Amino acid sequence: MNAFRLAGDMTHLLSIILLLHKIRAMKSCAGISLRTQELYVIVFVTRYVDLSMKYYSFYNSIMKIVFLGTSISIVWYMRYHKVVKQTYNKDVDTFRHIFLILPCFVLALLINRAFTVIEVLWTFSLYLEAVAILPQLVLLQRSRNIDNLTGNYVFLLGAYRAFYLLNWIYRFFIENHQVRWIPWLSGLLQTAIYADFFYYYIKSWKNREKLKLPA
Amino acid sequence: FVDDLPHDEL
């Protein structure tokens, strides 16, 4: 474990806690894409299949359980909670996430480190996580006014993978010089997808104005 | 080869 990875995990955890807090406190999920949240559940389920089989550390296991639990409860709130689900506008959250899931799965079957169930699912989860934010970003572009919590949520979500990029640089040079193209390139793409959001987010923060993404 | 594919990151 290194400081970059810990900072990344804490940023990731903070983003999810922030979203869960927004939904529970405001009893609203306005501006949040259910599609993206469902993709994250798929990412965590396919990535943590070895939770019950492989033990790395207490931290690793507890964080996996927290990520699984929080992401599933967010989807539960948005789909089934009697008050929250009324605030979900499915007419604007129209991104067909099957167009993300299928290509990522096929790619994981073709490009992976080993053709085993665990490894292919792990690879699939990395490819899918790289593009999982797209429905949320599309929804933000359609939203006239983005509330601060949602903006901060997306920013933290993007920042966590940027920390992971630093973690991979650190691990390559300091630890085992092991080349890991799949996480590296997926993480690079994931962070690049946030680039324009980061630009508008920082601009709105500097100019103290409302966050607005160009349509 | 296969076994030493650690998924030690979250």
Side-chain angles (χ1 to χ4, degrees):
Chain A
M1 172 62 81
N2 59 67
F4 299 113
R5 182 143 66 98
L6 187 61
D9 291 340
M10 291 305 109
T11 305
H12 194 188
L13 180 64
L14 183 60
S15 72
I16 295 174
I17 298 295
L18 193 70
L19 177 58
L20 205 49
H21 166 70
K22 164 194 159 80
I23 289 174
R24 287 170 50 93
M26 297 165 69
K27 288 284 181 283
S28 162
C29 65
I32 302 299
S33 165
L34 175 58
R35 301 269 182 267
T36 283
Q37 299 308 316
E38 289 164 344
L39 290 177
Y40 282 137
V41 170
I42 297 171
V43 165
F44 288 136
V45 166
T46 52
R47 189 172 304 176
Y48 301 155
V49 282
D50 62 352
L51 171 62
S52 57
M53 291 171 254
K54 277 210 156 170
Y55 177 83
Y56 293 98
S57 70
F58 179 71
Y59 170 84
N60 188 276
S61 298
I62 198 79
M63 288 297 279
K64 286 177 176 177
I65 293 166
V66 167
F67 282 155
L68 279 167
T70 48
S71 57
I72 289 168
S73 61
I74 285 168
V75 169
W76 180 85
Y77 267 104
M78 295 184 73
R79 274 183 171 276
Y80 304 113
H81 186 280
K82 59 188 181 308
V83 177
V84 175
K85 74 178 181 181
Q86 312 294 338
T87 64
Y88 172 58
N89 182 353
K90 61 179 177 299
D91 304 332
V92 285
D93 190 18
T94 55
F95 199 106
R96 306 287 300 279
H97 49 0
I98 191 70
F99 293 146
L100 296 176
I101 296 170
L102 275 186
C104 287
F105 189 70
V106 169
L107 196 63
L109 289 173
L110 298 175
I111 304 175
N112 52 59
R113 294 188 305 182
F115 199 73
T116 65
V117 172
I118 297 275
E119 196 59 30
V120 168
L121 285 178
W122 180 77
T123 307
F124 166 64
S125 85
L126 282 168
Y127 293 157
L128 188 63
E129 186 190 3
V131 293
I133 195 66
L134 286 171
Q136 179 64 61
L137 291 178
V138 167
L139 183 58
L140 289 184
Q141 281 174 343
R142 292 177 179 165
S143 311
R144 270 172 306 291
N145 63 331
I146 301 166
D147 70 76
N148 288 346
L149 279 172
T150 305
N152 295 340
Y153 163 68
V154 175
F155 177 76
L156 290 169
L157 208 46
Y160 117 78
R161 214 58 178 167
F163 278 121
Y164 256 76
L165 293 176
L166 298 177
N167 152 63
W168 288 322
I169 293 168
Y170 173 88
R171 292 192 82 173
F172 180 76
F173 288 110
I174 307 294
E175 284 177 15
N176 50 10
H177 294 276
Q178 193 180 7
V179 175
R180 302 175 63 192
W181 289 121
I182 291 175
W184 292 357
L185 295 179
S186 309
L188 214 52
L189 170 67
Q190 181 168 337
T191 308
I193 287 175
Y194 283 85
D196 75 326
F197 173 82
F198 282 148
Y199 170 75
Y200 290 107
Y201 180 87
I202 291 165
K203 195 160 79 95
S204 78
W205 179 70
K206 273 200 313 201
N207 305 348
R208 300 219 188 307
E209 64 195 12
K210 201 76 180 151
L211 174 60
K212 180 86 185 82
L213 295 187
Chain B
F1 168 70
V2 170
D3 283 346
D4 82 349
L5 295 174
H7 303 154
D8 62 340
E9 292 176 346
L10 290 174

